[in-house]
């Protein structure tokens, strides 16, 4: 969870309602094209899902995380109660524990939990990135980038997506873009006039219960090659 927020004014922030779901996987698919999702009001039927950008979610006042974990106490929100949102307040999925919010208490998460950033790849050759070709699975992309710490995915088409490998410093040399640029929503007019050219998608891939953004035309979605290790240290 990124944070717990007061969602009473969510409509004014521009959040997009998606309905009631029972799995995080389905919630992420429903919010494809957005960077953030808010989960709230869990009942036996499921939990409500709302999608938005980071700035949309940041517009909502932050609450104590416990408010999204079945322990409401803020008297200004429904008198400190969860009304009909009776839980369960947690869901375990793919070995991860997710808080599901409460009555106008939104548990905010990234839609794509693994993307590090979206970058402008027009000068990738000068940064020393190594091209690996076109692939159709994240697993194969990671194998192709073995020996590197970062990989960039871009230009998805029906044939697959392009993969480039590099170090953290190589990827950091590329200018950072809004994450939406790597999710099929190009808008930066300096990159191909705000278009994705022939990179027509699909812009997302679900693999091993994870949703991956696949970039666009000179828009690279950067991931760790090894998604679990943070660093190696002298012990």
């Amino acid at each position: 969870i990124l944070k717990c927020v007061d969602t009473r004014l969510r409509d004014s922030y521009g959040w997009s309602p998606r309905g009631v779901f029972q799995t995080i996987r389905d919630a992420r698919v429903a919010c494809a094209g957005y960077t953030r999702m808010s989960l709230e009001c869990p009942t036996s039927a499921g939990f409500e899902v709302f999608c938005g950008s980071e700035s949309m979610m940041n517009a909502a006042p932050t609450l104590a995380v416990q408010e999204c974990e079945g322990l409401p106490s803020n008297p200004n929100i429904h008198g400190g109660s969860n009304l009909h949102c009776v839980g369960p307040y947690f869901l375990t999925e793919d070995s991860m524990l997710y808080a599901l919010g409460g009555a106008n208490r939104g548990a905010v998460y990234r839609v794509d939990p693994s993307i590090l950033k979206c970058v402008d790849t027009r000068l990738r050759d000068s940064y020393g990135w190594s091209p690996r070709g076109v692939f159709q699975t994240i697993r194969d992309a990671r194998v192709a980038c073995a020996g590197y710490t970062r990989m960039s995915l871009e230009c998805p088409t029906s044939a697959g997506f392009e993969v480039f490998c590099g170090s953290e410093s190589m990827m950091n040399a590329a200018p950072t873009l809004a994450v939406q640029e790597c999710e099929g929503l190009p808008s930066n007019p300096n990159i191909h006039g705000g278009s994705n050219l022939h990179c027509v998608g699909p812009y997302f891939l679900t693999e091993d219960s994870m949703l991956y953004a696949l970039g666009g035309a000179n828009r690279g979605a950067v991931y760790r090659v090894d998604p679990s290790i943070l660093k190696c240290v002298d012990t």
Side-chain angles (χ1 to χ4, degrees), residues 132-136 157 159-163:
R132 285 297 190 266
V134 175
F135 295 85
Q136 293 188 325
T157 69
F161 49 89
E162 298 177 11
V163 176

Side-chain angles (χ1 to χ4, degrees), residues 31-232:
C31 284
Y34 292 91
T35 60
R36 297 290 185 269
M37 62 182 184
S38 173
L39 315 181
E40 61 183 90
C41 197
T43 68
S44 59
F47 49 89
E48 297 177 10
V49 176
F50 298 84
C51 315
S53 65
E54 182 176 4
S55 61
M56 288 176 182
M57 297 289 171
N58 285 346
T62 300
L63 303 172
V65 173
Q66 293 92 325
E67 295 277 344
C68 284
E69 297 178 331
L71 297 170
S73 60
N74 189 318
N76 297 317
I77 307 176
H78 307 305
S81 81
N82 266 330
L83 301 179
H84 63 286
C85 308
V86 294
Y89 296 106
F90 291 93
L91 171 65
T92 299
E93 186 173 314
D94 300 321
S95 302
M96 296 288 286
L97 186 67
Y98 296 87
L100 301 178
N104 285 123
R105 296 162 168 92
V108 178
Y109 295 88
R110 289 184 176 90
V111 174
D112 181 341
S114 56
I115 188 171
L116 296 176
K117 58 181 177 177
C118 179
V119 298
D120 177 349
T121 69
R122 287 176 294 174
L123 297 180
R124 67 171 107 78
D125 291 345
S126 68
Y127 306 142
W129 296 12
S130 177
R132 285 297 190 266
V134 175
F135 295 85
Q136 293 188 325
T137 70
I138 302 299
R139 190 176 305 109
D140 287 345
R142 287 192 160 122
V143 170
C145 285
Y148 292 91
T149 59
R150 298 290 185 270
M151 63 182 184
S152 173
L153 316 180
E154 60 184 271
C155 197
T157 69
S158 59
F161 49 89
E162 298 177 11
V163 176
F164 297 84
C165 315
S167 65
E168 182 177 4
S169 60
M170 288 177 181
M171 297 289 172
N172 285 345
T176 300
L177 302 172
V179 174
Q180 292 94 324
E181 295 277 342
C182 284
E183 298 180 328
L185 296 170
S187 60
N188 190 317
N190 298 317
I191 306 176
H192 308 305
S195 81
N196 267 329
L197 301 179
H198 62 287
C199 309
V200 294
Y203 297 106
F204 290 90
L205 171 65
T206 300
E207 185 174 315
D208 297 325
S209 303
M210 297 287 282
L211 186 69
Y212 295 87
L214 300 179
N218 285 123
R219 296 162 168 91
V222 178
Y223 296 88
R224 290 184 176 90
V225 174
D226 181 336
S228 53
I229 186 171
L230 295 178
K231 58 182 176 179
C232 178

